[in-house]
């Protein structure tokens, strides 16, 4: 028998060399299994695999300890990075390094016209309760207050909060705002100097030309969702001794978005004071930044460097200003139809009313000199599918055509509704989505029209209208809609051609001209009688129509057929699928190949 | 003839475990702790099991011998048969119904037998008999197999020390 003098004796105490113990798992059972696997190779431990054994108890303790520290180390590592942090405090702390302060809750604000019908002046001070609505209390929150003389009116902004939500904290030693639902935009900071309170204003950064005498404060996040006020150091902003008396005043955010869109306010000012009119209904109420908000906004904010230069900067800054924005589009004036150089346009959608002027105000301060930001409302394009035909192969499916129809209808019922800026339609997406519904569906086809509406309130005395569809028009001769026109209007009235009646249509004419016409019924035939040519122009490549002499006196629509099956939401072009389309029985047609 | 330095290992199947008292082995010069083998290992394991409480073992909340749950370790006094058979049983009926025995009510012995079957597979399927003697001692009589043909009887006594 050969003897190994160099190695360990082949006794029961000699460990069998195995692969390393796998301790990277975070699951208790996995760790214990890993330890067991290792020990199974040790000839000494033939008995350990039973829960009652002493070794099993030790393995339990070791596994628990390993799991505990593995989890701990893992969590510490996760919490060190913005991408992986799961705690809001840590995300806020990491966002500090990017110069981003998480947004607080926002009060909804409304503008009310109030009038004094009494015989004496009435003074509304900062913090006074002006009105109530349901559970919300609306406070006046403008420094200095406002005095209404007898018989005078004033438009005042009010902030919605919960009962007792307008706070004036006399002295806060730690300068931590003692409410997590504070609306930091309402924060007013006073430092007592020579016995008098002096208001300090907020500075968002130290690179904005601060001096050591500027009476400013910085806002920072503390822990557990609180905010903290910090003063300058004597170089950037005036230094405030810790012994100084400080007063904080602020409004606590109310019910967030639930406070938006309120039009009915109950006056609580007094018998001689009246709310005469709601100038703007409540808007802008929002919940504070969530963890996901911080993770998304902080890097984008850092990239913008607090300057509005690129389109992404505008998006980042505007989103920070108003967090209820659901979609936002920014484009340079050179992309507009017609071009407007030196402008940057911003358009947004939001589920609740928002104060768009605050976006512009914010962006003006941060945009490049000579570039003026301007807000434009989104233009809704009603997108209609026509001849929506789904091809199927009945030998490739066990479903009946009606079952396939139901499947497609259900799919379209919850998809491709649009409603956000930038949300366009790609044939590839819709085709893939529908073909994937069932093996029997092999393809589909459709064509589109886009419709814009001019309401009565949109009618202009100038009789000129610009329709920007943003898509190249269908090529004449290849137009698929039943009128055969690239674009056409609904019937509308105007009085310029009394000899020809009062109701007219428009459609594309020749050479980029827009024609005004009537439909004339002659026996069994109907033909178009051109009343006037050149009432406007259109650009079929860029997709805009300019009506310069159409003094309509009734609401009307203009329907436009794009060339492609794909349409892109550019600029402020917002698509909404026609709400009636799917209700039509022949909206979706199943066609066997 | 084997070399004098060569250690011949007896590979007869047996059960080995640490001695939970962690005493130093007198046979080992390198300071190894004492081992317990075969019936001693199983005995130690069953003792450990019977004295384990619910939620005591990490991630095994149901692992319990039930001794502290079901037995009232009180001094036997006048009119108090705490350690006497029948009177020592203090099942938490709701817990037992929900966790162990469906609609039935179980005794401590039933619970302990189930625990041994479940968590000590070396004794599982063996003849396990738990009883409480006239002095209130809990006695676990276990006859288990050490090989295909051999059996060994083990008798454990659980009593209140102080």
């Amino acid at each position: 028998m050969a003897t190994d003098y160099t190695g360990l004796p082949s006794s029961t105490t000699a460990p069998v060399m195995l692969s390393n113990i796998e301790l990277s798992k975070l699951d208790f059972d996995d760790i214990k299994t890993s330890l067991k696997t290792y020990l199974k190779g040790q000839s000494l431990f033939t008995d350990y695999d039973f829960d009652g054994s002493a070794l099993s108890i030790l393995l339990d303790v070791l596994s628990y300890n390993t799991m505990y520290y593995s989890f701990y180390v893992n969590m510490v590592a996760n919490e060190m990075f913005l991408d992986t942090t799961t705690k809001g405090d840590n995300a806020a702390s990491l966002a500090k390094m990017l110069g981003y302060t998480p947004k607080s809750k926002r009060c909804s604000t409304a503008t009310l016209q109030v009038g004094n019908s009494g015989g004496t002046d009435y003074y509304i001070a900062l913090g006074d309760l002006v009105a109530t609505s349901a559970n919300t209390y609306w406070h006046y929150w403008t420094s200095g207050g406002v005095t209404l003389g007898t018989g005078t009116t004033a438009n005042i902004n009010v902030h919605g909060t919960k009962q007792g939500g307008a706070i004036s904290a006399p002295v806060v030693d730690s300068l931590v705002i003692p409410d997590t639902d504070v609306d930091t935009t309402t924060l007013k900071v006073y430092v007592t100097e020579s016995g008098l309170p002096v208001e300090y204003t907020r500075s968002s950064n130290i690179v904005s030309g601060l001096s050591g005498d500027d009476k400013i404060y910085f806002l920072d996040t503390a822990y557990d969702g609180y905010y903290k006020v910090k003063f300058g150091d004597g170089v950037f902003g005036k230094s405030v001794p810790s012994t100084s008396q400080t007063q904080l005043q602020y409004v606590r955010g109310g019910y967030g978005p639930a406070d938006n869109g309120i039009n009915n306010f109950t006056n609580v000012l007094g018998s001689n004071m009246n709310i005469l009119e709601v100038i703007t209904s409540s808007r802008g109420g929002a919940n504070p930044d969530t963890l996901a908000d911080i993770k998304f906004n902080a890097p984008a904010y850092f990239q913008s460097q607090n300057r509005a230069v690129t389109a992404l900067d505008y998006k980042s800054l505007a989103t920070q200003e108003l967090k209820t924005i659901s979609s936002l589009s920014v484009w340079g004036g050179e992309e507009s139809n017609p071009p407007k150089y030196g402008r940057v346009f911003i358009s947004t959608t939001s589920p609740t009313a928002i104060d768009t002027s605050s976006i512009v105000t914010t962006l003006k301060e941060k945009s490049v000199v000579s570039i003026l930001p301007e807000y434009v409302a989104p233009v809704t394009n009603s997108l209609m599918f026509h001849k929506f035909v789904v091809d199927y192969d009945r030998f490739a499916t066990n479903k009946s055509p009606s079952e396939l129809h139901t499947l497609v209808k259900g799919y379209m019922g919850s998809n491709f509704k649009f409603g956000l800026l930038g949300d366009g339609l790609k044939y590839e997406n819709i085709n893939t989505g529908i073909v994937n519904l069932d093996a029997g569906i092999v393809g589909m086809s459709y064509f589109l029209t886009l419709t814009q509406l001019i309401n009565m309130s949109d009618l202009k005395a100038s009789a000129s209208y610009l329709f920007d569809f943003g898509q190249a028009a269908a090529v004449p001769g290849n137009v698929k809609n039943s009128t055969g026109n690239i674009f056409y209007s609904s019937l509308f009235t105007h009085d310029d051609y009394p000899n020809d009646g009062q109701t007219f249509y428009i459609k594309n004419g020749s050479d980029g001209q827009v024609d005004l016409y009537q439909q004339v019924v002659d026996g069994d035939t109907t033909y178009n009688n051109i009343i006037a040519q050149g009432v406007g122009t259109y650009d079929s490549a860029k997709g805009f129509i300019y009506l310069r002499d159409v003094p309509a006196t009734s609401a009307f629509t203009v329907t436009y057929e794009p060339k492609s099956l794909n349409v892109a939401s550019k600029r402020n072009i917002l698509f909404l699928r026609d709400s009636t389309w799917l209700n039509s029985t022949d909206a979706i047609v199943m066609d066997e190949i | 003839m084997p070399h004098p330095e060569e250690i011949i290992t007896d590979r007869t199947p047996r059960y080995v475990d640490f001695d939970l008292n962690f005493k130093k082995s007198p046979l080992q010069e390198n300071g190894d702790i004492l081992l317990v083998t075969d019936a001693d290992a199983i005995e130690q394991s069953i003792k450990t099991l019977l004295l384990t409480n619910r939620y005591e073992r990490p991630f095994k909340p149901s692992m319990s011998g039930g001794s502290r749950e079901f037995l009232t370790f009180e001094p036997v006094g006048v009119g108090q048969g705490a350690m006497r058979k029948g009177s020592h049983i203090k099942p938490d009926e709701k817990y037992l119904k929900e966790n162990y025995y469906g609609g039935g009510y179980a005794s401590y012995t039933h619970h302990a037998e189930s625990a041994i079957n479940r968590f000590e597979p070396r004794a599982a399927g063996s003849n396990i008999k738990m009883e409480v003697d006239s002095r209130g001692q809990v006695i676990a009589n276990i006859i288990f197999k050490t090989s295909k043909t051999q059996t060994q009887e083990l008798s454990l006594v659980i009593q209140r020390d102080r």
Side-chain angles (χ1 to χ4, degrees):
Chain A
M1 188 178 198
T3 304
D4 181 3
Y5 294 100
T6 58
L8 289 167
S10 57
S11 70
T12 54
T13 56
V16 175
M17 297 309 290
L18 293 176
S19 58
N20 292 334
I21 306 174
E22 176 63 63
L23 293 177
S24 61
K25 295 188 171 67
L26 293 180
D27 184 77
F28 175 85
D29 288 328
D30 288 342
I31 293 169
K32 191 172 177 187
T33 303
S34 179
L35 290 169
K36 278 181 176 179
T37 305
Y38 176 76
L39 289 177
K40 271 180 182 175
Q42 316 299 312
S43 56
L44 180 64
F45 302 112
T46 49
D47 168 32
Y48 65 90
D49 200 7
F50 307 103
D51 291 322
S53 68
L55 186 57
S56 184
I57 295 172
L58 296 180
L59 283 181
D60 277 346
V61 175
L62 181 58
S63 303
Y64 184 73
N65 192 53
T66 306
M67 185 205 71
Y68 186 89
Y69 278 98
S70 296
F71 176 81
Y72 179 73
V73 170
N74 212 297
M75 184 150 187
V76 167
N78 280 345
E79 295 301 316
M80 288 172 68
F81 300 97
L82 193 58
D83 283 338
T84 50
T85 183
T86 58
K87 293 176 71 67
D89 279 347
N90 294 337
S93 178
L94 292 164
K96 276 183 195 176
M97 291 187 279
L98 301 175
Y100 179 78
T101 305
K103 288 187 290 293
S104 69
K105 202 167 191 177
R106 294 283 193 263
C107 293
S108 187
T109 58
T111 307
L112 307 177
Q113 187 182 60
V114 293
N116 180 5
S117 59
T120 57
D121 290 355
Y122 192 93
Y123 175 65
I124 305 174
L126 179 141
D128 279 359
L129 182 62
V130 174
T132 60
S133 66
N135 296 324
T136 308
Y137 293 74
W138 299 87
H139 290 263
Y140 181 71
W141 200 258
T142 304
S143 294
V146 60
T147 302
L148 280 88
T150 304
T152 61
T153 64
N155 293 344
I156 61 171
N157 289 328
V158 289
H159 292 64
T161 184
K162 298 175 183 175
Q163 188 171 20
I167 305 291
S168 181
V171 177
V172 183
D173 290 337
S174 65
L175 294 177
V176 173
I177 302 169
D179 285 299
T180 53
D181 59 352
V182 56
D183 177 353
T184 55
T185 61
T186 65
L187 180 64
K188 297 182 186 300
V189 177
Y190 302 91
V191 177
T192 301
E193 295 176 359
S194 306
L196 293 173
V198 177
E199 183 169 358
Y200 277 50
T201 56
R202 183 181 171 188
S203 176
S204 57
N205 58 59
I206 61 168
V207 294
S208 50
L210 293 176
S211 75
D213 292 327
D214 289 332
K215 293 175 179 176
I216 52 100
Y217 70 89
F218 304 102
L219 191 69
D220 205 354
T221 49
Y223 286 102
D224 297 331
Y226 289 95
Y227 288 88
K228 187 167 62 176
V229 169
K230 293 200 297 192
F231 292 107
D233 57 0
V235 178
F236 296 110
K238 187 173 181 180
S239 174
V240 175
S242 59
T243 53
S244 297
Q245 278 197 330
T246 310
Q247 186 177 44
L248 305 180
Q249 291 181 329
Y250 54 89
V251 184
R252 291 167 61 184
Y255 296 93
D259 284 340
N260 294 336
I262 293 173
N263 285 310
N264 294 316
F265 297 88
T266 304
N267 172 33
V268 294
L269 284 173
S271 56
N272 292 328
M273 293 295 294
N274 304 296
I275 296 175
L276 303 174
E277 188 181 352
V278 178
I279 304 296
T280 55
S281 56
S282 62
R283 60 195 177 183
N287 290 319
D289 265 358
T290 62
L291 178 65
D293 291 334
I294 298 172
K295 287 183 176 184
F296 179 80
N297 290 335
Y301 181 80
F302 178 70
Q303 285 167 5
S304 77
Q305 293 288 315
N306 208 30
R307 292 282 181 275
V309 179
T310 68
L312 191 65
D313 298 345
Y314 278 87
K315 281 187 179 181
S316 169
L317 294 168
T319 309
Q320 195 200 9
E321 179 61 27
L322 289 173
K323 69 188 300 293
T324 57
I325 292 171
S326 55
S327 68
L328 180 141
S329 176
V330 178
W331 69 98
E334 72 281 1
E335 296 177 26
S336 291
N337 282 330
K340 291 182 180 175
Y341 298 101
R343 298 288 177 94
V344 168
F345 294 97
I346 304 111
S347 189
T348 62
T349 60
S350 170
T352 57
I354 55 174
D355 183 7
T356 53
S357 63
S358 65
I359 299 179
V360 175
T361 305
T362 302
L363 293 178
K364 262 185 184 169
E365 293 171 357
K366 298 173 180 177
S367 62
V368 176
V369 176
S370 82
I371 298 292
L372 292 176
E374 187 175 311
Y375 182 84
V376 289
V379 175
T380 302
N381 285 250
S382 178
L383 185 147
M384 184 70 164
F385 290 105
H386 300 272
K387 294 188 178 175
F388 195 97
V389 179
V390 178
D391 300 326
Y392 71 96
D393 176 4
R394 70 187 170 98
F395 297 108
T397 180
N398 56 3
K399 290 189 173 65
S400 68
S402 65
E403 286 175 326
L404 292 176
H405 182 273
T406 305
L407 208 57
V408 176
K409 188 172 182 180
Y411 177 73
M412 290 305 292
S414 54
N415 292 283
F416 299 104
K417 291 177 169 179
F418 313 105
L420 295 175
L421 290 167
D423 195 4
L425 172 65
K426 287 183 179 175
Y427 172 78
E428 182 60 30
N429 291 349
I430 192 169
N431 184 57
T432 305
I434 287 180
V435 166
N436 287 342
L437 290 175
D438 189 86
I441 299 176
V442 295
M444 62 167 308
S445 60
Y446 59 81
F447 77 88
L448 301 170
T449 57
L450 305 173
T451 301
Q452 290 184 18
L453 169 68
I454 299 292
N455 275 314
M456 284 294 288
S457 57
D458 301 326
L459 295 177
K460 296 177 183 173
S462 64
S464 63
Y465 301 92
L466 180 67
F467 297 89
D468 184 3
F469 291 97
Q471 328 290 325
V475 179
N478 197 28
V479 173
K480 297 187 178 70
N481 71 73
S482 58
T483 69
N485 299 314
I486 296 172
F487 64 87
Y488 52 92
S489 75
S490 61
L491 196 63
F492 62 90
T493 60
H494 78 68
D495 304 328
D496 275 13
Y497 301 97
N499 294 336
D500 296 304
Q502 289 185 305
T503 56
F504 305 92
Y505 298 92
I506 59 163
K507 69 175 184 66
N508 59 291
S510 57
D511 298 329
Q513 299 294 310
V514 180
D515 293 346
L516 185 75
Y517 72 100
Q518 284 182 316
Q519 283 190 338
V520 179
V521 179
D522 184 8
D524 293 336
T525 60
T526 302
Y527 64 91
N528 295 339
N529 179 31
I530 304 296
I531 303 298
Q533 292 179 314
V535 295
T537 57
Y538 71 93
D539 185 331
S540 60
K542 293 181 177 175
F544 75 87
I545 304 164
Y546 174 58
L547 305 181
R548 65 170 167 268
D549 185 21
V550 181
T553 54
S554 67
F556 65 102
T557 62
V558 173
T559 300
Y560 177 91
E561 183 176 327
K563 179 173 71 174
S564 173
L565 298 176
N566 310 297
V567 286
S569 170
K570 305 167 186 172
R571 302 181 287 277
N572 60 335
I573 297 170
L574 176 71
F575 295 125
L576 271 180
R577 194 177 74 195
D578 189 296
S579 58
T580 63
W581 171 66
L582 207 55
N583 299 331
S584 169
T585 52
D586 59 350
I588 298 168
V589 177
M590 304 303 297
D591 189 21
E592 184 180 352
I593 58 168
Chain B
M1 183 171 176
H3 190 278
E5 290 181 16
E6 187 174 349
I7 297 172
I8 306 298
T9 304
D10 178 8
R11 294 301 303 155
T12 303
R14 61 175 185 171
Y15 300 126
V16 183
D17 200 0
F18 291 123
D19 180 1
L20 266 181
N21 293 320
F22 293 103
K23 289 179 179 171
K24 186 177 176 183
S25 169
L27 303 177
Q28 302 284 348
E29 294 179 355
N30 56 6
D32 274 358
I33 58 172
L34 204 61
L35 299 178
V36 289
T37 58
D38 294 338
D40 292 338
I42 297 172
E43 179 182 338
Q44 175 181 270
S45 178
I46 290 175
K47 275 182 185 173
T48 305
L49 190 58
L50 292 179
L51 294 175
T52 300
N53 293 322
R54 281 188 294 144
Y55 298 104
E56 203 169 70
R57 293 290 290 274
F59 298 94
K60 287 196 179 71
S62 64
M63 185 175 172
S64 148
S67 299
R68 288 191 177 85
E69 293 167 56
F70 296 107
L71 302 184
T72 305
F73 289 94
E74 295 293 340
V76 180
V78 177
Q80 185 183 33
M83 295 295 284
R84 297 185 66 81
K85 185 176 183 179
S87 62
H88 68 281
I89 300 167
K90 195 180 67 174
D92 179 337
E93 295 178 2
K94 183 171 183 296
Y95 172 78
L96 289 173
K97 280 170 97 173
E98 291 176 354
N99 293 281
Y100 286 104
Y101 308 115
Y105 295 93
S107 65
Y108 164 64
T109 54
H110 186 182
H111 180 91
E113 285 168 12
S114 300
I116 293 169
N117 269 313
R118 186 175 171 194
F119 297 113
E120 184 45 84
R122 290 170 298 188
S126 304
N127 186 359
I128 307 168
K129 183 68 180 172
M130 302 290 296
E131 60 180 27
V132 181
D133 71 6
S134 57
R135 293 188 298 159
Q137 294 181 133
V138 177
I139 302 171
N141 290 308
I142 304 165
I143 301 171
F144 62 94
K145 295 179 178 177
T146 54
S147 68
K148 284 184 179 178
T149 56
Q150 292 182 320
T151 59
Q152 180 155 349
E153 185 170 357
L154 174 68
S155 185
L156 300 175
V157 177
I158 302 174
Q159 60 182 4
R160 189 173 183 275
D161 282 345
R162 57 188 174 86

